[in-house]
Each structure stands twice: as C-alpha cells, then as structure tokens.
Amino acid sequence: MRSDNARAGMQQAPARSLFNALGFTPEEMKKPMVGIVSSYNEIVPGHMNIDKIVDAVKLGVAEAGGVPVVFPAIAVCDGIAMGHIGMKYSLVTRDLIADSTECMALAHQFDALVMVPNCDKNVPGLLMAAARLDLPTVFVSGGPMLAGHVGGQKRSLSSMFEAVGAHAAGNMTEDEVENFVENVCPTCGSCSGMYTANSMNCLTEALGMGLRGNGTIPAVYSERIRLAKHAGMAVMDMYNKGITARQIMTKEAVLNALTVDMALGCSTNSMLHLPAIAHEIGFDFDIEFANPISEKTPNLCHLAPAGPTYMEDLNEAGGVWAVMKELADIGLLNTDCMTVTGKTVGENIANAVNRNPEVIRPVDNPYTKTGGLAVLKGNLAPDGSVVKRSAVVPEMLVHEGPARVFDSEEDAIAAIKGGKIVPGDVVVIRYEGPKGGPGMREMLNPTSAIAGMGLGSSVALITDGRFSGASRGASIGHVSPEAAVGGPIALVEEGDIIAIDIPNYTMTLKVSDEELAARKAKWQPREPKVTTGYLRRYAAQVTSGNRGAILRTPEL
C-alpha cells in the first residue's frame, strides 16, 4: 500500500502517533486509506448537499474494506460571482484545486481517491489532479438542480438573467422579475440546464471516470445517495484490481468525451477544460479537433439554454449512457476504453435505452447533423475561437455587421441596456482574456441582456473572455490571441465590418492586411488590471484560451 510510506515501520512511528491522535484503530492502519475530496461549502447551491454525498461515499468505502479520510476542495459559484470582480476568481480556481489536491494526496500518501465536486471549475480541477496523481479514482458529483417553474413553464438560471434584460428593455416589471427570483432555482444542485457544471459532470461519464447517472441524477433524489455509496465501493474495486486514473483517462477517452460533448450540446467552457485535462496526460489537445468531430457527430440534445428540456429530463430519458449508445451504434465512440466500473465503455452501455426520443433524438433524427460546438478561425482569431452553435438561431449562423468595441464587460453592458446596440451590430468585448482580465470572465450578463432585449436573433457578441454555459445566441468566445498580448481583437476599431460564418468555421475582420499592420505598429500593451496577489501571478503564467488557459510551465 502506498499509505505504508506514511504509516509502516519504525521510521514512521511518529506518524503513527499522529494517526493515533486522529482516532485510527490498529485495524484501520492495515487497510487502504482512501482520500475523499469534498467540495462542500455553504455558499454554492450545487455544493450545499455534498456533505450528505460524502457521508454516503464514506459508508461505501468502509463497507468495501477501505478507510475513508475527508479533505476539502474550494469552489466558486459562478452565478453569484457573475458581473463583478468576483468572476475574475472563477476560472483561476481550477488550478488551485488541482494543485492543492495534488499536495494533499501526495503529502499524506493516499492509496485511492473519490472526488466529490459539482460546480464549474472544481470538476475539471479535480480531473486534472486525478490525471496527475494516477491513483484509483472515482468521481461522484452533487448532482443537478431540479428545474424551476414560472408561468407553467420550466425555467432555470439563464431565464433569470434574461429576465433582467427584459426588464431593462421595459418588457418585464420588477414584480415579474421577483417572481423569477423566487422560482427559477428551487432546490440545491448545479443549475438545471446544460451549463458548465452539468456539462463537465456528464463528461466524467463519457471519460469513464464517473458511474452511470453521475451527470444527471438530480441532487435531491435518494438515488444519488445510493450512487455515492456505489462510488465508494467502486474505488475499492479499482484499488483491488490495480486500475488507475490514467488507464482510463487516455487520448481515446478524451476524444470520446469531445464526441459526447457535441451530441449533448455542452458549454463552450468544455473547450477550456478538455485541453487542460488532456495536457495532464501528455496529450496535446488542439481545439480544432472539434470541427472534424463536429462534422460527423449529430447534435441529439437541446437542453436549456438551447431548448426547453432540463437535466431531470435527460436523466429520465436514459442519461449520458443512452446518448453514448446512440453514438456507439454508428461507430462514433471508442468502446474499448476502460472505465471506473472495471468494464469497457462498450460493456457499460450495451443495454442502455433511449426512453424519450424527444429529449435524446435518435441519430437518424438529430436536431442537426453536426455537433454542438464549433471553432472559428480567421484574421480576427488566428489561433481560434469557440461558439456553441447548437444555441445559435439559424438566421445568425452567418452574419455580417459593424463592430461596437468595448474594453470591458461593464462598458458593454451599459451600452446594451442603454439601448445603444441595434440590430446587425457585432459587440466586441476585449481585454477580458485569461491574461488581460485577468481570469477570463464569463459574459453571461451581456449575452443575457442581448437576449432579454430581443436582440438575440440580430446581434453577435465576440470576446477574448468566455461565456457561461447558460449563454445562448451568436456568442463567440476564447478569441486567441487575446487583446492583452496584441492579438488582432485589440486592433478592431468602432465600425469595422466583421463577418461571421459558423457553417464554414470562419470569422473575418474586413480590414486590409496593410491597415492591420499599421494598427499593430501603434499598439501598446496595457498596464495590468491587477498588480498584486494570486491574480497577478496567474496573469504572468497563464496561456491563451486556445491552449485551455493552462498555466505556463518551463516547456511551454
């Protein structure tokens, strides 16, 4: 046992005295020690039930012969952090989570791990840690929130943000907005649409790192407690069989996850997190992999914000495994990949059933023949940009219009809500990238304001920042290189014509090469927005959005 490094022999007698202080019995000292990484806290709705999940995992580990030991991971609520300086501290926690988990696991020599995340950044952060540590590891999340109900319709957090935009446009009263406040988020859990948290939890199943239902069983269902107990048992089975994280998290598994992402219509943030996870296993993930996979992968699901269905509906329809079965039946998945069940993907999904062809469209009747995400390139984004095309209305798939340029999210929101943006415009928000932000803020407020003011079918938004999974419309993020390093987005001027062609994966600034070169010669780097603390260090080390905003190491 790895834990013997910290517990066995005369040399470790002092450590044993400390285990004794913890209440370990002699019997427990002879058993595998399983770290349970708990992201429980009292500020994130998706995490407020995780204490119960952790208790269930502990029972499962103990029942299967291990000794469970809990330690924490941090988590930020993106919804609460949205629209102010707090959003600068969201993406950056992914690396803190990965680093601190690595530190705790190796400092105390755990034999295996169960990761208990839920919301946006601690799922990929813990997947990164799992890949680094290469221990037997299982993921079990806190689970998704049930959808809210307003006016007889299911609603979610994206509806709430759009209600604010509708109020700014004079289309909703304050009392009507308050009705949304009271009803769109009715339970604990990760917000109920296919936003980033639920996207990443679903992709743990596609990667093979989570048991069936990990991404979809609602947080309030007792079925999730049973799932957590089985996760504890599963990690002990992995330990006994010698199955470790990197045997599961292979290049083929990452490409499976990207394929499932396309079918589900996941958040654009997955195009930050999959490259970062791939980097930890030594796989150089190019975001342009998305386009050829998208070309052959049908989009089978339109969950909120792209459509009227929610995570509870996907769960009842058969969940992620039912989606994977549809894809495997037409040869789009590598079914030989190992999983935390000790079985291959093919063995796991052999008997999966699609119980609702309206929630999970069959492959012969997809929403679209192409996948949910697209990577656009051109002279405005030479290294790429990302759009959730499954959430773009058909009339905006091809668009051309004048640039309306803003150097911060706040300035753009003020212009949108002030009625200064008109149909046909292309809103450009820059200096909000990983380095320039710093922290690459999500732009849910401006996208929701555009939608709420009735401009979603006529206005595009382009940024070197990123979007919430709750964003919809022609919202193109991760523009690379970013403005802070002199990328072409820094050279755009008010009124420049920008042409967007999502079906052909292009985004073009209609300015001559000579004019762009002249503008580039005059461009000067800006003073950092943050000059102290973690964000300053982060800005100095972070790479661009197309690299997954991973932190620079000597070889990078």
Side-chain angles (χ1 to χ4, degrees):
M1 292 185 293
R2 177 192 293 254
S3 56
D4 283 347
N5 293 332
R7 300 187 297 184
M10 183 55 65
Q11 183 67 30
Q12 293 308 117
R16 286 199 300 279
S17 73
L18 295 171
F19 280 107
N20 187 61
L22 288 166
F24 275 57
T25 66
E27 292 81 5
E28 288 174 316
M29 295 288 283
K30 298 174 183 177
K31 296 178 180 180
M33 189 166 64
V34 179
I36 302 175
V37 187
S38 170
S39 60
Y40 169 77
N41 64 46
E42 295 182 341
I43 191 62
V44 184
H47 292 233
M48 61 185 284
N49 65 317
I50 280 179
D51 55 343
K52 297 176 178 61
I53 304 298
V54 166
D55 287 344
V57 172
K58 290 171 68 176
L59 287 171
V61 168
E63 185 171 332
V67 179
V69 182
V70 179
F71 65 89
I74 62 171
V76 165
C77 178
D78 279 17
I80 294 174
M82 195 74 65
H84 54 86
I85 192 173
M87 182 45 69
K88 294 179 183 288
Y89 288 90
S90 171
L91 178 61
V92 303
T93 64
R94 185 185 69 183
D95 297 276
L96 288 174
I97 291 160
D99 292 349
S100 60
T101 301
E102 174 191 355
C103 291
M104 288 292 289
L106 293 180
H108 302 102
Q109 292 292 286
F110 288 104
D111 296 296
L113 297 169
V114 179
M115 307 295 199
V116 190
N118 209 27
C119 291
D120 295 18
K121 308 310 168 299
N122 71 339
V123 184
L126 291 176
L127 283 166
M128 290 163 66
R132 285 184 204 172
L133 294 162
D134 195 26
L135 296 171
T137 306
V138 175
F139 277 68
V140 56
S141 75
M145 185 182 290
L146 294 176
H149 292 82
V150 179
Q153 293 184 314
K154 285 185 176 181
R155 299 287 189 174
S156 63
L157 186 66
S158 54
S159 306
M160 184 70 255
F161 277 88
E162 290 178 15
V164 174
H167 178 266
N171 297 325
M172 189 174 286
T173 68
E174 187 172 341
D175 285 346
E176 287 172 327
V177 173
E178 285 303 311
N179 188 33
F180 274 70
V181 170
E182 292 295 326
N183 292 291
V184 298
C185 295
T187 70
C188 62
S190 48
C191 296
S192 56
M194 188 54 81
Y195 310 145
T196 306
N198 292 327
S199 295
M200 294 309 302
N201 281 322
C202 286
L203 295 187
T204 63
E205 293 189 54
L207 280 167
M209 292 297 291
L211 298 176
R212 182 176 190 170
N214 182 53
T216 60
I217 297 170
V220 295
Y221 283 15
S222 297
E223 184 181 359
R224 184 154 289 277
I225 299 298
R226 297 195 296 273
L227 179 75
K229 291 177 183 177
H230 283 132
M233 298 175 194
V235 81
M236 289 306 301
D237 186 54
M238 290 177 69
Y239 173 80
N240 291 329
K241 293 177 177 176
I243 300 172
T244 63
R246 267 186 241 158
Q247 293 173 34
I248 296 169
M249 297 169 70
T250 61
K251 174 182 177 180
E252 292 74 21
V254 172
L255 294 177
N256 274 353
L258 181 56
T259 302
V260 174
D261 183 306
M262 293 295 176
L264 286 172
C266 290
S267 163
T268 52
N269 279 314
S270 61
M271 295 302 288
L272 284 174
H273 301 322
L274 286 176
I277 294 161
H279 176 71
E280 299 292 346
I281 62 169
F283 171 28
D284 188 10
F285 183 105
D286 188 328
I287 62 170
E288 280 198 270
F289 292 157
N291 291 343
I293 288 178
S294 180
E295 284 294 332
K296 61 184 180 182
T297 305
N299 178 226
L300 306 181
C301 299
H302 263 194
L303 290 100
T309 53
Y310 294 81
M311 296 306 296
E312 62 206 65
D313 302 312
L314 178 59
N315 187 61
E316 291 167 11
V320 176
W321 282 18
V323 174
M324 293 175 71
K325 180 67 161 57
E326 293 279 355
L327 299 174
D329 284 348
I330 57 172
L332 294 182
L333 292 184
N334 185 321
T335 56
D336 293 329
C337 292
M338 179 54 62
T339 74
V340 294
T341 66
K343 299 178 181 179
T344 65
V345 167
E347 290 172 315
N348 284 344
I349 66 175
N351 297 316
V353 175
N354 181 352
R355 301 189 188 97
N356 189 336
E358 292 303 312
V359 176
I360 304 172
R361 290 279 186 93
V363 290
D364 58 1
N365 182 36
Y367 283 100
T368 59
K369 293 181 180 180
T370 53
L373 298 179
V375 172
L376 312 185
K377 278 193 165 185
N379 67 343
L380 185 53
D383 293 338
S385 61
V386 181
V387 63
K388 186 173 182 176
R389 69 172 163 190
S390 61
V392 179
V393 294
E395 55 266 39
M396 288 299 292
L397 290 170
V398 177
H399 179 76
E400 184 172 311
R404 305 298 308 279
V405 183
F406 305 93
D407 289 347
S408 73
E409 178 187 9
E410 289 83 359
D411 290 347
I413 292 170
I416 296 165
K417 291 185 176 179
K420 296 179 181 179
I421 303 302
V422 300
D425 284 348
V426 178
V427 176
V428 177
I429 306 177
R430 61 192 182 189
Y431 294 100
E432 291 284 6
K435 186 180 294 290
M440 203 178 187
R441 288 194 287 181
E442 286 186 343
M443 302 292 172
L444 180 54
N445 277 324
T447 60
S448 299
I450 287 170
M453 296 188 73
L455 297 171
S457 61
S458 60
V459 169
L461 194 156
I462 296 170
T463 182
D464 52 8
R466 61 194 177 93
F467 296 109
S468 165
S471 293
R472 63 186 176 98
S475 303
I476 301 163
H478 309 193
V479 171
S480 301
E482 63 175 291
V485 298
I489 192 171
L491 310 179
V492 180
E493 295 183 357
E494 187 80 8
D496 285 348
I497 300 300
I498 295 175
I500 299 163
D501 188 341
I502 295 173
N504 288 305
Y505 307 114
T506 63
M507 186 166 64
T508 305
L509 177 63
K510 291 196 163 183
V511 174
S512 70
D513 293 344
E514 293 77 13
E515 172 62 19
L516 285 178
R519 293 181 189 179
K520 177 69 172 178
K522 297 176 183 177
W523 178 83
Q524 294 292 324
R526 301 203 169 191
E527 289 296 317
K529 293 179 182 177
V530 178
T531 58
T532 60
Y534 177 58
L535 282 183
R536 179 59 178 148
R537 284 182 279 127
Y538 181 87
Q541 296 178 18
V542 71
T543 60
S544 63
N546 71 301
R547 298 293 305 274
I550 59 177
L551 297 186
R552 193 177 302 278
T553 54
E555 70 271 16
L556 295 174

